[in-house]
Amino acid sequence: MTVIDLITRVDAICKKYEKYDVDKQKELNVIGDDAFARLFAGFESETDALLQKSEAASMEKNRATVVAIMAEIRRTKARLLEEIPKLQRLAMKKVKGLSKEELEARSDLVSALKEKIESIPDGSATGPAQATGWAASASRTGIKIDTNSDGRFSSEYFQRTEESDKFRQEYEMRKLKQASFLLFNLYLYVIFVQDEGLDVIAEGLDTLKSMAHDLNEELDRQVPLMDEIDEKVDKASSDLKSTNVRLKETVNKLRSSRNFCIDIILLCIILGIAAYLYK
Amino acid sequence: MASSDPEKLMSKADKLTKLTLTRWSADWRSAAGLYEQAANAFRLAKEYEKAKLAFEKASKAQEMLSSPWDAAKHMESAGAVAKELGNWNEVADFYRRASNLYIECGRSQPASDALAKGARALEETVPDEAVQLYTEACSILEEDGKEQMAFDLYRAAATIYIKLEKYPDAATILLRLGLAADNCKAVNSQCKAYLGAIIVYLYAQDFKQAEKCYNDCSQIDAFLRSDQNRFASKLLSAYTEGDIEEIKRLVQSSTVSNLDHMIIRLARKLPTGDLSALKAYSGKEQEEPLDEDDLT
């Protein structure tokens, strides 16, 4: 039996026999007209209920019910936390018959209540040290060993996640195997197709190589022939040039005006003689 | 002169060349011209005998005029006409004379060309003579250092030998081709020639010769490094193992397809004799150790 359990049981018992608590009743009656007091009382009762619920949830084994209870707790918490500011405002208000110390005490009560609400575990373990100091004396809920309950939660979680981890691992391995099998098949196919293609390419290359070699040899054969042609053409062109020059000289000599005139005169004389002879 | 009756031209030309009392020196120049015309006219008229005669005379006239080039040309024409006639000896004769005249000019290439033409003309009918002409042509070229041109001639000669089924001669010619190729650094042709020789030996079922040939050729660096060498070694090893399928597969490869047509045909028919000769050869090898055992 842990501390929490003790405290809880004590609380539960107290609550049950509250109506026999004369002092408290008197208090309640006294503050019946006080709006703040009323509201504060309401808040307190709701907070206690929440607390009980959260402890019940921590006992629960069934995950679904745990989840449901947690959700409810969270909802209620949010609602209460929203209404806390109202309470605070009320706390500030001056009420007749109340002393100054009691006023201060009220605001303290409000802040304490707020902290109490926030500290109710709702499954969203927001971390350590939610057990803060209480200045209030009215509340009697004990130390919440949040980490413990949270630890219990997370160990349960871990159990669950261990199993699911194993499942997940197996699933992934199977997927991997399938994928690798597919990949292997793909590789084989590609390799075979490539093989044939490469064969074709190799034959083509062979033909190309032999043709290139033959071309090479043919060109080598042509080179001296081209050189010979070059020489011969050069010689022929130089011959032509010299012949041209000589021809030009000869023609010029023929066309020199003096010879030409002499030729014409001689021709005329001969024509004259012929005409004379034939006339 | 106009294209008159070629007979008349011939007679005129003859008269010009005959030495009589009135004529103290033959007029070869005009005679040559006349002879040529007459010969052409005869050829057109398809009177080949007369055309041949005319060409001969024209050539002689040109010779007298000391222009061996024209003389040779006429001789070639005479040879072509003689081929039409079918006087095979005359064909060979004419072409040889033409080639000699070309050599006189100092032009070896046309000389060998003339001989090659003659050989081609005689291929069908007198192949031996043709081969002779081819070899002469090749030697002319080799003397002049123009081996490159000789390749075709060698190949043609080898083809003729293969047709005649004189396989050792064919292989010899191919080896000569390889030698010529070596001289002008035509490595590809050289390797092809050697491979061709090996295939010819194998076709002739002369396995020993083939191996000897292969060993000889392997001494040559260029051949050693070539594709043809690899192919030859594969082929010979397939032969020694007697693996017909392998041989058939090898000869389908592209290395063979780059060779000469005749050689490709031989190669495709290759596993000849069905390796019984091989078996005899390998049997002989086995016998020798036995003999040694007997002696000891």
Side-chain angles (χ1 to χ4, degrees):
Chain A
M1 186 79 79
T2 60
V3 178
I4 284 203
D5 292 334
L6 276 173
I7 295 173
T8 327
R9 285 190 75 192
V10 166
D11 253 337
I13 295 172
C14 282
K15 212 158 270 160
K16 240 165 86 174
Y17 298 109
E18 228 175 54
K19 55 185 176 206
Y20 301 116
D21 193 347
V22 183
D23 290 315
K24 211 167 184 189
Q25 293 289 8
K26 263 202 262 185
E27 232 184 319
L28 276 174
N29 281 340
V30 164
I31 59 177
D33 301 327
D34 203 348
F36 170 75
R38 256 184 286 139
L39 206 54
F40 188 73
F43 261 90
E44 242 188 340
S45 57
E46 281 197 31
T47 319
D48 289 333
L50 265 185
L51 214 59
Q52 268 183 352
K53 263 195 229 148
S54 74
E55 261 138 45
S58 66
M59 300 292 173
E60 268 295 331
K61 287 293 178 197
N62 190 356
R63 288 202 53 70
T65 35
V66 165
V67 167
I69 293 172
M70 285 298 141
E72 215 186 298
I73 293 175
R74 265 182 251 132
R75 259 204 314 270
T76 331
K77 248 174 76 170
R79 191 167 47 84
L80 287 174
L81 283 169
E82 269 175 35
E83 308 207 337
I84 285 282
K86 228 190 332 180
L87 194 61
Q88 272 180 336
R89 264 181 279 127
L90 270 180
M92 295 301 145
K93 259 198 343 202
K94 270 209 179 195
V95 185
K96 56 179 178 175
L98 263 183
S99 58
K100 266 213 184 78
E101 295 89 349
E102 276 205 357
L103 212 60
E104 281 173 22
R106 275 192 184 175
S107 52
D108 281 337
L109 277 172
V110 170
S111 50
L113 185 64
K114 189 162 166 212
E115 279 175 25
K116 195 167 127 189
I117 295 176
E118 277 175 2
S119 75
I120 297 177
D122 59 356
S124 56
T126 44
Q130 280 184 359
T132 45
W134 303 98
S137 51
S139 62
R140 206 135 35 115
T141 50
I143 307 166
K144 284 204 189 3
I145 311 176
D146 270 0
T147 47
N148 203 359
S149 57
D150 273 341
R152 245 195 301 159
F153 273 147
S154 37
S155 68
E156 269 186 27
Y157 272 130
F158 269 139
Q159 248 185 35
R160 293 293 172 166
T161 47
E162 251 177 54
E163 270 180 45
S164 64
D165 256 345
K166 255 191 258 170
F167 281 133
R168 206 174 294 141
Q169 263 178 20
E170 218 182 291
Y171 170 64
E172 272 173 18
M173 252 182 29
R174 256 210 219 120
K175 244 180 45 175
L176 260 175
K177 267 194 216 156
Q178 256 188 350
S180 68
F181 185 62
L182 269 174
L183 208 61
F184 179 64
N185 273 352
L186 187 66
Y187 281 152
L188 277 179
Y189 177 69
V190 162
I191 284 173
F192 280 131
V193 165
Q194 265 188 356
D195 236 8
E196 284 173 16
L198 284 173
D199 276 336
V200 170
I201 292 178
E203 264 205 53
L205 275 177
D206 263 332
T207 318
L208 195 62
K209 175 176 166 202
S210 81
M211 275 203 279
H213 271 296
D214 287 336
L215 253 178
N216 193 15
E217 285 184 4
E218 193 59 38
L219 282 173
D220 282 338
R221 209 199 294 200
Q222 303 283 345
V223 165
L225 291 178
M226 296 300 289
D227 288 337
E228 240 187 79
I229 291 179
D230 205 17
E231 259 183 53
K232 286 194 190 158
V233 166
D234 280 339
K235 191 161 138 284
S237 72
S238 69
D239 275 344
L240 259 177
K241 270 197 210 134
S242 63
T243 315
N244 265 346
V245 164
R246 268 190 285 142
L247 194 62
K248 201 161 119 186
E249 279 177 34
T250 321
V251 168
N252 273 344
K253 216 173 79 172
L254 282 176
R255 276 175 60 215
S256 69
S257 6
R258 210 175 43 138
N259 286 348
F260 204 46
C261 291
I262 289 176
D263 285 336
I264 290 182
I265 290 170
L266 283 173
L267 212 72
C268 293
I269 292 173
I270 289 173
L271 278 175
I273 292 174
Y276 187 62
L277 276 176
Y278 276 120
K279 275 233 183 92
Chain B
M1 285 192 197
S3 55
S4 46
D5 190 15
E7 294 284 346
K8 270 203 219 145
L9 290 172
M10 281 293 286
S11 50
K12 227 176 184 174
D14 280 332
K15 261 189 258 165
L16 282 174
T17 55
K18 238 184 274 250
L19 292 170
T20 56
L21 283 171
T22 50
R23 217 175 269 282
W24 291 67
S25 62
D27 185 9
W28 289 113
R29 190 171 295 280
S30 40
L34 287 173
Y35 277 133
E36 205 179 316
Q37 278 183 9
N40 286 332
F42 277 134
R43 198 176 16 185
L44 284 172
K46 302 231 192 295
E47 291 192 15
Y48 291 126
E49 188 65 51
K50 299 213 182 106
K52 183 170 65 84
L53 198 61
F55 271 126
E56 257 187 283
K57 292 215 177 126
S59 158
K60 186 140 158 287
Q62 294 286 9
E63 244 187 276
M64 292 297 164
L65 291 173
S66 29
S67 57
W69 179 262
D70 294 312
K73 273 229 134 62
H74 288 311
M75 263 303 151
E76 268 192 63
S77 330
V81 169
K83 178 176 141 217
E84 304 280 329
L85 274 180
N87 301 3
W88 309 119
N89 324 358
E90 287 198 354
V91 167
D93 192 35
F94 283 149
Y95 276 119
R96 277 216 182 86
R97 276 161 66 179
S99 128
N100 287 338
L101 285 165
Y102 278 128
I103 295 180
E104 260 186 55
C105 289
R107 312 276 291 277
S108 57
Q109 179 75 38
S112 78
D113 278 346
L115 286 175
K117 261 189 245 169
R120 220 169 295 138
L122 291 175
E123 252 177 9
E124 311 285 316
T125 45
V126 194
D128 294 315
E129 193 63 35
V131 166
Q132 276 274 9
L133 287 172
Y134 272 131
T135 36
E136 281 178 28
C138 297
S139 36
I140 291 179
L141 284 174
E142 275 174 3
E143 274 173 24
D144 219 20
K146 295 204 174 88
E147 292 101 351
Q148 292 266 6
M149 314 295 160
F151 292 166
D152 290 325
L153 299 171
Y154 277 128
R155 261 185 244 136
T159 315
I160 296 182
Y161 269 136
I162 291 178
K163 259 199 246 170
L164 290 175
E165 302 198 355
K166 287 198 186 148
Y167 297 119
D169 293 324
T172 321
I173 288 230
L174 284 170
L175 290 174
R176 270 181 70 179
L177 172 55
L179 179 63
D182 194 39
N183 284 343
C184 38
K185 310 272 172 274
V187 176
N188 201 28
S189 291
Q190 185 183 13
C191 300
K192 288 205 281 200
Y194 288 145
L195 185 59
I198 295 178
I199 290 182
V200 162
Y201 274 134
L202 283 176
Y203 188 77
Q205 303 178 28
D206 200 349
F207 187 67
K208 259 174 73 172
Q209 274 290 350
E211 272 210 339
K212 238 178 39 170
C213 185
Y214 175 67
N215 290 337
D216 288 335
C217 301
S218 312
Q219 308 289 331
I220 300 174
D221 240 355
F223 184 69
L224 204 56
R225 277 186 263 124
S226 70
D227 284 340
Q228 280 86 1
N229 184 22
R230 261 182 272 135
F231 179 79
S233 66
K234 271 193 255 179
L235 193 58
L236 285 172
S237 57
Y239 250 89
T240 45
E241 288 170 18
D243 191 356
I244 300 188
E245 285 308 314
E246 179 72 15
I247 296 175
K248 287 218 173 84
R249 197 179 57 84
L250 276 178
V251 299
Q252 294 301 324
S253 81
S254 53
T255 320
V256 167
S257 318
N258 299 337
L259 301 173
D260 238 358
H261 288 297
M262 293 296 298
I263 303 186
I264 297 179
R265 252 185 274 168
L266 287 186
R268 296 275 154 86
K269 292 193 216 144
L270 242 193
T272 52
D274 277 327
L275 311 167
S276 51
L278 268 187
K279 289 219 185 94
Y281 177 58
S282 45
K284 248 189 273 170
E285 279 193 2
Q286 280 174 9
E287 275 172 30
E288 284 176 18
L290 281 177
D291 284 341
E292 284 181 324
D293 286 339
D294 281 347
L295 285 171
T296 53

